[in-house]
């Protein structure tokens, strides 16, 4: 519901530490600039503790742009959290 009120939504676990000296740059701007610098269109979903080929995902930091793809991703994640043997990180990885 919060994504509908903004262009960008960031989810951060309570145990994530953000360096205070990085706050001046703005998290959303840093994410977008990183993508553009690499010559890519900005992603719809950012999962920073994962990379291709890894078998696990950390849901400690996830960001979503307000796009149809991000909404679809969130809906799938929400549904999978309710699977019998699931929790937020395993549902995200699935």
């Amino acid at each position: 519901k919060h994504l509908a009120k903004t262009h960008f939504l960031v989810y951060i676990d309570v145990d994530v530490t953000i360096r205070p000296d990085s706050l001046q740059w703005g998290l959303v701007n840093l994410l977008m600039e990183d993508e553009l610098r690499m010559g890519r269109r900005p992603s719809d979903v950012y999962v920073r503790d994962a990379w291709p080929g890894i078998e696990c995902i950390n849901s400690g930091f996830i960001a979503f742009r307000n796009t149809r793809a991000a909404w679809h991703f969130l809906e799938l994640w929400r549904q999978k959290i309710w699977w019998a043997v699931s929790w937020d990180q395993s549902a995200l990885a699935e």
Side-chain angles (χ1 to χ4, degrees):
K1 71 181 181 182
H2 296 292
L3 184 56
K5 300 175 186 175
T6 184
H7 295 291
F8 213 93
L9 176 70
V10 177
Y11 170 85
I12 302 175
D13 270 353
V14 295
D15 62 345
V16 170
T17 302
I18 299 174
R19 291 177 40 171
D21 62 337
S22 69
L23 296 176
Q24 67 184 346
W25 302 108
L27 185 58
V28 172
N29 290 336
L30 289 174
L31 287 173
M32 300 294 277
E33 287 174 9
D34 190 38
E35 295 281 310
L36 295 173
R37 184 175 46 250
M38 290 187 276
R40 297 189 304 219
R41 165 188 152 328
S43 298
D44 296 314
V45 178
Y46 297 83
V47 181
R48 287 305 212 195
D49 262 352
W51 51 91
I54 194 166
E55 294 183 10
C56 64
I57 292 180
N58 186 342
S59 63
F61 175 89
I62 307 171
F64 306 92
R65 288 192 322 128
N66 191 350
T67 64
R68 287 178 49 193
W71 278 97
H72 187 65
F73 182 93
L74 284 169
E75 178 58 24
L76 290 171
W77 188 16
R78 185 189 64 78
Q79 289 175 11
K80 291 179 181 189
I81 285 176
W82 296 107
W83 288 5
V85 290
S86 193
W87 53 300
D88 66 333
Q89 289 190 23
S90 61
L92 177 67
E94 181 64 32

